[in-house]
Amino acid sequence: MSSPLEQVFLAAHDDLPREAPGSEETTALLLRLAGDLPERPRIVDIGCGTGPSTLPLAAATGGEVVAVDLHEPFLQRLRTRAAVSGLGERVRPLVAAMDDLPLPDGEADLVWSEGAAYVMGFDAALAGWRRLLAPGGTLVLTEAEWTTATPSPGARAFWDANYPAMRTTADNVAAAQRAGYTVQAVYLLPVGRLLPPAGLPARHPAGGRPRPGGAGRGGPGDRGA
């Protein structure tokens, strides 16, 4: 990351308690919506930042988390936070681009991404991250969405310029289903506490291969939520 815009973005996020909308409470809620997981799940947290979701996921599930971000200083802070929390042996920071992940197919029982999928686009995230899921695996992500059919002209102009692909919940559910996921749950995150408009988990059919026009169950992935 070296462009002036990226530098401003990173400076604005420096020392924030989290780099994306959400909270520990909503992370816990989305984890419940994801459904059953193995006893010690393998988790990949994409766009993890300094670990506001990574550490609660590791603590709540007893699993191991590969924490992916492209900004090394975020991961350095995550290492420190994980060590202080006693989770250092179960958190593996990985510097990588979310659209070019150096991870093998079937690596994860749970793929997680809060407030980051928009960077590559919702459809691209659904398609690109699916290979990471083990059979029966779950994808959970949050996405910015339109929650009204009649946004203000200012809001429409801003998002049309900055994220023209932004859609409604119904449109994103349909996109996940077309991508081969079964959408298990959809939750509209509350506003007012730096929270995103929607959380969406999903899942693939058994065997890890998406059904044409079908979906998984739990979060976008082998499952859908």
Side-chain angles (χ1 to χ4, degrees):
M1 291 189 173
S2 57
S3 73
L5 180 59
E6 289 168 336
Q7 291 172 11
V8 169
F9 174 86
L10 295 173
H13 281 249
D14 190 44
D15 290 332
L16 289 178
R18 54 188 303 126
E19 290 72 45
S23 67
E24 283 200 30
E25 291 79 11
T26 53
T27 294
L29 186 149
L30 293 175
L31 184 59
R32 292 195 298 273
L33 290 178
D36 295 335
L37 295 170
E39 184 175 350
R40 295 185 179 277
R42 299 166 298 160
I43 302 169
V44 178
D45 184 7
I46 301 174
C48 67
T50 59
S53 299
T54 307
L55 300 182
L57 288 172
T61 65
E64 296 185 355
V65 186
V66 177
V68 181
D69 205 282
L70 195 56
H71 188 48
E72 173 64 26
F74 284 166
L75 297 182
Q76 290 286 8
R77 283 172 29 208
L78 171 56
R79 288 185 185 95
T80 300
R81 295 179 63 197
V84 170
S85 302
L87 298 169
E89 293 186 358
R90 291 200 281 115
V91 172
R92 176 163 68 92
L94 174 64
V95 179
M98 63 176 63
D99 59 354
D100 188 22
L101 295 169
L103 295 170
D105 294 356
E107 171 80 358
D109 302 301
L110 176 63
V111 172
W112 193 277
S113 184
E114 291 194 47
Y118 77 92
V119 173
M120 61 185 291
F122 187 78
D123 292 343
L126 292 178
W129 299 346
R130 189 174 61 196
R131 69 170 187 83
L132 299 175
L133 291 163
T138 300
L139 168 63
V140 176
L141 59 80
T142 62
E143 169 72 339
E145 297 180 338
W146 290 113
T147 58
T148 175
T150 56
S152 70
R156 171 64 76 178
F158 176 85
W159 288 108
D160 282 352
N162 291 281
Y163 192 26
M166 192 164 79
R167 300 180 291 212
T168 65
T169 299
D171 289 338
N172 281 332
V173 167
Q177 292 170 336
R178 287 194 302 271
Y181 293 98
T182 296
V183 177
Q184 177 168 296
V186 173
Y187 176 69
L188 186 67
L189 295 176
V191 261
R193 292 171 53 195
L194 191 63
L195 299 174
L200 180 69
R203 165 188 187 175
H204 288 178
R209 294 185 179 180
R211 295 188 296 267
R217 168 207 158 185
D222 241 17
R223 278 177 167 175

PDB file of all heavy atoms in Angstrom, residues 62-79:
ATOM      1  N   GLY A  62     -11.932 -22.250  20.306  1.00  0.00           N
ATOM      2  CA  GLY A  62     -10.828 -23.147  20.609  1.00  0.00           C
ATOM      3  C   GLY A  62     -10.040 -23.548  19.383  1.00  0.00           C
ATOM      4  O   GLY A  62      -9.159 -24.415  19.452  1.00  0.00           O
ATOM      5  N   GLY A  63     -10.349 -22.907  18.231  1.00  0.00           N
ATOM      6  CA  GLY A  63      -9.681 -23.272  16.995  1.00  0.00           C
ATOM      7  C   GLY A  63      -8.446 -22.445  16.716  1.00  0.00           C
ATOM      8  O   GLY A  63      -8.048 -21.595  17.514  1.00  0.00           O
ATOM      9  N   GLU A  64      -7.837 -22.731  15.562  1.00  0.00           N
ATOM     10  CA  GLU A  64      -6.678 -21.982  15.106  1.00  0.00           C
ATOM     11  C   GLU A  64      -7.115 -21.032  13.997  1.00  0.00           C
ATOM     12  O   GLU A  64      -7.923 -21.404  13.144  1.00  0.00           O
ATOM     13  CB  GLU A  64      -5.594 -22.925  14.608  1.00  0.00           C
ATOM     14  CG  GLU A  64      -5.041 -23.833  15.697  1.00  0.00           C
ATOM     15  CD  GLU A  64      -3.889 -24.684  15.222  1.00  0.00           C
ATOM     16  OE1 GLU A  64      -3.581 -24.644  14.008  1.00  0.00           O
ATOM     17  OE2 GLU A  64      -3.287 -25.385  16.054  1.00  0.00           O
ATOM     18  N   VAL A  65      -6.582 -19.818  14.010  1.00  0.00           N
ATOM     19  CA  VAL A  65      -6.996 -18.793  13.068  1.00  0.00           C
ATOM     20  C   VAL A  65      -5.813 -18.316  12.236  1.00  0.00           C
ATOM     21  O   VAL A  65      -4.794 -17.887  12.796  1.00  0.00           O
ATOM     22  CB  VAL A  65      -7.626 -17.581  13.790  1.00  0.00           C
ATOM     23  CG1 VAL A  65      -8.179 -16.586  12.766  1.00  0.00           C
ATOM     24  CG2 VAL A  65      -8.724 -18.019  14.753  1.00  0.00           C
ATOM     25  N   VAL A  66      -5.945 -18.407  10.924  1.00  0.00           N
ATOM     26  CA  VAL A  66      -5.011 -17.739  10.017  1.00  0.00           C
ATOM     27  C   VAL A  66      -5.575 -16.344   9.791  1.00  0.00           C
ATOM     28  O   VAL A  66      -6.677 -16.184   9.261  1.00  0.00           O
ATOM     29  CB  VAL A  66      -4.879 -18.480   8.680  1.00  0.00           C
ATOM     30  CG1 VAL A  66      -3.959 -17.708   7.729  1.00  0.00           C
ATOM     31  CG2 VAL A  66      -4.348 -19.890   8.895  1.00  0.00           C
ATOM     32  N   ALA A  67      -4.857 -15.328  10.237  1.00  0.00           N
ATOM     33  CA  ALA A  67      -5.323 -13.944  10.201  1.00  0.00           C
ATOM     34  C   ALA A  67      -4.644 -13.228   9.041  1.00  0.00           C
ATOM     35  O   ALA A  67      -3.436 -13.001   9.070  1.00  0.00           O
ATOM     36  CB  ALA A  67      -5.014 -13.252  11.519  1.00  0.00           C
ATOM     37  N   VAL A  68      -5.435 -12.870   8.023  1.00  0.00           N
ATOM     38  CA  VAL A  68      -4.886 -12.356   6.774  1.00  0.00           C
ATOM     39  C   VAL A  68      -5.110 -10.853   6.665  1.00  0.00           C
ATOM     40  O   VAL A  68      -6.234 -10.358   6.825  1.00  0.00           O
ATOM     41  CB  VAL A  68      -5.557 -13.041   5.568  1.00  0.00           C
ATOM     42  CG1 VAL A  68      -4.962 -12.520   4.261  1.00  0.00           C
ATOM     43  CG2 VAL A  68      -5.411 -14.559   5.652  1.00  0.00           C
ATOM     44  N   ASP A  69      -4.037 -10.128   6.383  1.00  0.00           N
ATOM     45  CA  ASP A  69      -4.152  -8.706   6.067  1.00  0.00           C
ATOM     46  C   ASP A  69      -2.949  -8.315   5.219  1.00  0.00           C
ATOM     47  O   ASP A  69      -1.900  -8.962   5.285  1.00  0.00           O
ATOM     48  CB  ASP A  69      -4.205  -7.851   7.338  1.00  0.00           C
ATOM     49  CG  ASP A  69      -4.905  -6.521   7.098  1.00  0.00           C
ATOM     50  OD1 ASP A  69      -4.284  -5.610   6.537  1.00  0.00           O
ATOM     51  OD2 ASP A  69      -6.092  -6.402   7.463  1.00  0.00           O
ATOM     52  N   LEU A  70      -3.111  -7.269   4.443  1.00  0.00           N
ATOM     53  CA  LEU A  70      -2.028  -6.826   3.569  1.00  0.00           C
ATOM     54  C   LEU A  70      -1.117  -5.814   4.256  1.00  0.00           C
ATOM     55  O   LEU A  70      -0.024  -5.520   3.770  1.00  0.00           O
ATOM     56  CB  LEU A  70      -2.614  -6.208   2.290  1.00  0.00           C
ATOM     57  CG  LEU A  70      -1.689  -5.990   1.093  1.00  0.00           C
ATOM     58  CD1 LEU A  70      -1.005  -7.296   0.686  1.00  0.00           C
ATOM     59  CD2 LEU A  70      -2.471  -5.414  -0.082  1.00  0.00           C
ATOM     60  N   HIS A  71      -1.557  -5.287   5.407  1.00  0.00           N
ATOM     61  CA  HIS A  71      -0.816  -4.220   6.089  1.00  0.00           C
ATOM     62  C   HIS A  71      -0.064  -4.815   7.272  1.00  0.00           C
ATOM     63  O   HIS A  71      -0.643  -5.123   8.312  1.00  0.00           O
ATOM     64  CB  HIS A  71      -1.800  -3.151   6.549  1.00  0.00           C
ATOM     65  CG  HIS A  71      -1.159  -1.906   7.089  1.00  0.00           C
ATOM     66  ND1 HIS A  71      -0.141  -1.236   6.440  1.00  0.00           N
ATOM     67  CD2 HIS A  71      -1.399  -1.195   8.229  1.00  0.00           C
ATOM     68  CE1 HIS A  71       0.221  -0.182   7.137  1.00  0.00           C
ATOM     69  NE2 HIS A  71      -0.521  -0.129   8.231  1.00  0.00           N
ATOM     70  N   GLU A  72       1.244  -4.966   7.128  1.00  0.00           N
ATOM     71  CA  GLU A  72       2.067  -5.620   8.152  1.00  0.00           C
ATOM     72  C   GLU A  72       1.956  -4.960   9.536  1.00  0.00           C
ATOM     73  O   GLU A  72       1.900  -5.676  10.549  1.00  0.00           O
ATOM     74  CB  GLU A  72       3.522  -5.663   7.690  1.00  0.00           C
ATOM     75  CG  GLU A  72       4.510  -6.156   8.732  1.00  0.00           C
ATOM     76  CD  GLU A  72       4.290  -7.597   9.151  1.00  0.00           C
ATOM     77  OE1 GLU A  72       3.740  -8.372   8.355  1.00  0.00           O
ATOM     78  OE2 GLU A  72       4.674  -7.934  10.296  1.00  0.00           O
ATOM     79  N   PRO A  73       1.909  -3.621   9.646  1.00  0.00           N
ATOM     80  CA  PRO A  73       1.781  -3.032  10.983  1.00  0.00           C
ATOM     81  C   PRO A  73       0.525  -3.481  11.731  1.00  0.00           C
ATOM     82  O   PRO A  73       0.552  -3.622  12.960  1.00  0.00           O
ATOM     83  CB  PRO A  73       1.759  -1.523  10.706  1.00  0.00           C
ATOM     84  CG  PRO A  73       2.568  -1.384   9.453  1.00  0.00           C
ATOM     85  CD  PRO A  73       2.207  -2.587   8.632  1.00  0.00           C
ATOM     86  N   PHE A  74      -0.582  -3.704  11.014  1.00  0.00           N
ATOM     87  CA  PHE A  74      -1.773  -4.243  11.674  1.00  0.00           C
ATOM     88  C   PHE A  74      -1.469  -5.617  12.266  1.00  0.00           C
ATOM     89  O   PHE A  74      -1.859  -5.931  13.394  1.00  0.00           O
ATOM     90  CB  PHE A  74      -2.926  -4.370  10.683  1.00  0.00           C
ATOM     91  CG  PHE A  74      -3.609  -3.073  10.324  1.00  0.00           C
ATOM     92  CD1 PHE A  74      -4.459  -3.016   9.221  1.00  0.00           C
ATOM     93  CD2 PHE A  74      -3.417  -1.922  11.067  1.00  0.00           C
ATOM     94  CE1 PHE A  74      -5.108  -1.838   8.887  1.00  0.00           C
ATOM     95  CE2 PHE A  74      -4.052  -0.737  10.736  1.00  0.00           C
ATOM     96  CZ  PHE A  74      -4.896  -0.689   9.637  1.00  0.00           C
ATOM     97  N   LEU A  75      -0.784  -6.449  11.498  1.00  0.00           N
ATOM     98  CA  LEU A  75      -0.494  -7.806  11.960  1.00  0.00           C
ATOM     99  C   LEU A  75       0.510  -7.811  13.106  1.00  0.00           C
ATOM    100  O   LEU A  75       0.445  -8.681  13.978  1.00  0.00           O
ATOM    101  CB  LEU A  75       0.020  -8.651  10.792  1.00  0.00           C
ATOM    102  CG  LEU A  75      -0.976  -8.858   9.651  1.00  0.00           C
ATOM    103  CD1 LEU A  75      -0.373  -9.753   8.568  1.00  0.00           C
ATOM    104  CD2 LEU A  75      -2.273  -9.476  10.158  1.00  0.00           C
ATOM    105  N   GLN A  76       1.419  -6.848  13.125  1.00  0.00           N
ATOM    106  CA  GLN A  76       2.345  -6.746  14.262  1.00  0.00           C
ATOM    107  C   GLN A  76       1.565  -6.475  15.550  1.00  0.00           C
ATOM    108  O   GLN A  76       1.842  -7.059  16.605  1.00  0.00           O
ATOM    109  CB  GLN A  76       3.356  -5.618  14.017  1.00  0.00           C
ATOM    110  CG  GLN A  76       4.363  -5.917  12.906  1.00  0.00           C
ATOM    111  CD  GLN A  76       5.422  -6.940  13.341  1.00  0.00           C
ATOM    112  OE1 GLN A  76       5.332  -7.539  14.407  1.00  0.00           O
ATOM    113  NE2 GLN A  76       6.419  -7.159  12.489  1.00  0.00           N
ATOM    114  N   ARG A  77       0.570  -5.589  15.465  1.00  0.00           N
ATOM    115  CA  ARG A  77      -0.241  -5.312  16.649  1.00  0.00           C
ATOM    116  C   ARG A  77      -1.079  -6.522  17.024  1.00  0.00           C
ATOM    117  O   ARG A  77      -1.292  -6.798  18.203  1.00  0.00           O
ATOM    118  CB  ARG A  77      -1.121  -4.091  16.389  1.00  0.00           C
ATOM    119  CG  ARG A  77      -0.255  -2.860  16.512  1.00  0.00           C
ATOM    120  CD  ARG A  77      -0.785  -1.523  16.135  1.00  0.00           C
ATOM    121  NE  ARG A  77      -2.161  -1.201  16.237  1.00  0.00           N
ATOM    122  CZ  ARG A  77      -2.731  -0.284  15.433  1.00  0.00           C
ATOM    123  NH1 ARG A  77      -2.007   0.291  14.499  1.00  0.00           N
ATOM    124  NH2 ARG A  77      -3.968   0.062  15.589  1.00  0.00           N
ATOM    125  N   LEU A  78      -1.524  -7.255  16.025  1.00  0.00           N
ATOM    126  CA  LEU A  78      -2.284  -8.477  16.307  1.00  0.00           C
ATOM    127  C   LEU A  78      -1.411  -9.491  17.042  1.00  0.00           C
ATOM    128  O   LEU A  78      -1.867 -10.137  17.998  1.00  0.00           O
ATOM    129  CB  LEU A  78      -2.813  -9.077  15.008  1.00  0.00           C
ATOM    130  CG  LEU A  78      -3.445 -10.471  15.107  1.00  0.00           C
ATOM    131  CD1 LEU A  78      -4.584 -10.490  16.115  1.00  0.00           C
ATOM    132  CD2 LEU A  78      -3.916 -10.944  13.739  1.00  0.00           C
ATOM    133  N   ARG A  79      -0.161  -9.651  16.615  1.00  0.00           N
ATOM    134  CA  ARG A  79       0.741 -10.582  17.306  1.00  0.00           C
ATOM    135  C   ARG A  79       0.877 -10.218  18.780  1.00  0.00           C
ATOM    136  O   ARG A  79       0.822 -11.088  19.653  1.00  0.00           O
ATOM    137  CB  ARG A  79       2.120 -10.563  16.642  1.00  0.00           C
ATOM    138  CG  ARG A  79       2.186 -11.226  15.282  1.00  0.00           C
ATOM    139  CD  ARG A  79       3.616 -11.271  14.760  1.00  0.00           C
ATOM    140  NE  ARG A  79       3.659 -11.804  13.411  1.00  0.00           N
ATOM    141  CZ  ARG A  79       3.660 -11.055  12.320  1.00  0.00           C
ATOM    142  NH1 ARG A  79       3.644  -9.723  12.421  1.00  0.00           N
ATOM    143  NH2 ARG A  79       3.685 -11.605  11.122  1.00  0.00           N
TER     144      ARG A  79
END
